[in-house]
Amino acid sequence: MINAQPSTYKPFHPSYEEMIFHAICSLKRRSGSSSTAIAKFILRHYGGLPNNFRKILLRRLKELVACEKLVRVKNSFKLPSR
């Protein structure tokens, strides 16, 4: 008999919010970082990302702008000034 235990799956990467903030802070672009630059940075530095990573990333970027945790300037994203 197979022992049915709850799944303990954990992704090999931090949350998308943490990865996005790390990318924007590391890229240090004064006018903000494009979604393409953020995606390339995350792909270079983190593993275990799903195949639909870019779609999830774009959705999370929009959510972070809506929550006012990011500011969108033209086609770039940057941290809000405090």
Side-chain angles (χ1 to χ4, degrees):
M1 182 172 179
I2 298 174
N3 188 6
Q5 293 181 353
S7 174
T8 57
Y9 170 76
K10 292 191 178 188
F12 296 108
H13 57 81
S15 70
Y16 278 88
E17 184 174 341
E18 290 176 29
M19 292 190 295
I20 290 168
F21 289 156
H22 181 229
I24 292 172
C25 290
S26 296
L27 292 170
K28 297 180 183 177
R29 302 244 168 84
R30 187 172 188 196
S31 61
S33 301
S34 68
S35 59
T36 305
I38 294 169
K40 286 180 182 179
F41 179 90
I42 291 173
L43 283 172
R44 248 190 334 262
H45 289 86
Y46 299 101
L49 297 167
N51 292 334
N52 62 344
F53 153 74
R54 291 182 194 275
K55 186 174 183 178
I56 296 170
L57 176 67
L58 292 175
R59 188 180 76 225
R60 287 297 296 146
L61 286 168
K62 288 179 184 178
E63 290 172 2
L64 290 170
V65 170
C67 295
E68 298 180 358
K69 292 184 178 181
L70 285 181
V71 177
R72 185 169 189 158
V73 180
K74 295 185 182 179
N75 287 329
S76 298
F77 299 89
K78 63 183 196 175
L79 299 174
S81 57
R82 300 243 175 213

